[in-house]
Amino acid sequence: MAIVLSVSGSPSVSSRTAKLLRHLDARLARQGHEVIPLDVRTIPAEALLGADFQHPAIVEAADLFARADGVVIGTPVYKAAYSGVLKALLDLLPQYALTGKTVLPLATGGSTAHVLALDYALRPVLNSMGAAHIVQGWFTLDKDITTGPDGSVTVAPGTAEALAQVVDQFSSALGSGHLLAATG
Ligand SMILES: Cc1cc2nc3c(=O)[nH]c(=O)nc-3n(C[C@H](O)[C@H](O)[C@H](O)COP(=O)(O)O)c2cc1C
């Protein structure tokens, strides 16, 4: 079993990105992983915008990253890149906060015009933070994520299968990471 930190980088109170991540968290939990959700929007703005490295919420977030074997990073596409609040948090983490970790990058967006934002914008940042293995990510159109009256999340056919596949690849990569650590 691995510890997975699942980070939603949307500032929105009704975030589709957060809903999608929590939906996928359940799949990872069913596979035996301990999943810890973190919504960046819950971190006090003064800590993020004031670059307060010592703020308890920043220290706690850094500790969650340090404890995780794997990290899911989900972001809405804003202005053709990842969100500003996600960057504000990443900037306050130690330079190599992702060293040795397996990372699954995910994005939601309104248009396929920016489907490559994960690769040209987010992936280089994750690399610079020392990620050991960044598995294949996935971009999901916002219109493909719907919420039922009971809060349940449904993902459109086709996209749902693709997401399941990248989540399962991430899960397998976490498993082999543990094996290497045990035998290495
Ligand atoms: C300020 C802002 C900028 C956006 N810029 C883009 C963009 O450049 N490309 C795109 O495909 N979608 C863009 N969108 C749409 C969002 O990426 C999309 O609706 C996303 O699913 C929102 O996720 P959230 O509900 O988690 O915040 C933008 C939305 C907002 C609010």
Side-chain angles (χ1 to χ4, degrees):
M1 184 183 82
I3 298 176
V4 175
L5 180 63
S6 177
V7 182
S8 168
S10 173
S12 165
V13 69
S14 58
S15 166
R16 279 200 168 91
T17 308
K19 286 175 183 149
L20 181 66
L21 258 66
R22 303 306 154 241
H23 176 67
L24 300 175
D25 290 351
R27 186 176 183 92
L28 286 165
R30 285 196 297 276
Q31 294 173 1
H33 302 299
E34 180 187 346
V35 184
I36 301 168
L38 174 64
D39 291 340
V40 179
R41 70 175 307 280
T42 64
I43 297 176
E46 69 268 21
L48 292 171
L49 299 181
D52 185 354
F53 289 84
Q54 310 306 326
H55 191 288
I58 300 299
V59 172
E60 188 186 344
D63 184 54
L64 290 175
F65 273 83
R67 284 172 44 211
D69 303 298
V71 182
V72 181
I73 304 249
T75 180
V77 176
Y78 283 174
K79 301 286 190 285
Y82 52 87
S83 72
V85 290
L86 177 60
K87 186 64 159 65
L89 173 63
L90 296 178
D91 287 350
L92 295 179
L93 296 176
Q95 183 175 357
Y96 296 112
L98 295 175
T99 297
K101 301 184 195 307
T102 301
V103 181
L104 170 61
L106 298 173
T108 71
S111 154
T112 52
H114 296 135
V115 70
L116 290 177
L118 276 180
D119 289 328
Y120 66 67
L122 185 58
R123 200 172 271 267
V125 178
L126 303 177
N127 260 319
S128 80
M129 295 176 71
H133 184 190
I134 305 173
V135 300
Q136 187 192 333
W138 196 258
F139 171 96
T140 303
L141 280 171
D142 51 9
K143 69 177 178 57
D144 286 345
I145 307 162
T146 49
T147 313
D150 60 349
S152 62
V153 173
T154 306
V155 181
T159 302
E161 289 76 10
L163 278 166
Q165 193 175 346
V166 297
V167 167
D168 291 353
Q169 283 168 356
F170 171 67
S171 183
S172 299
L174 285 170
S176 54
H178 273 192
L179 200 60
L180 283 175
T183 57

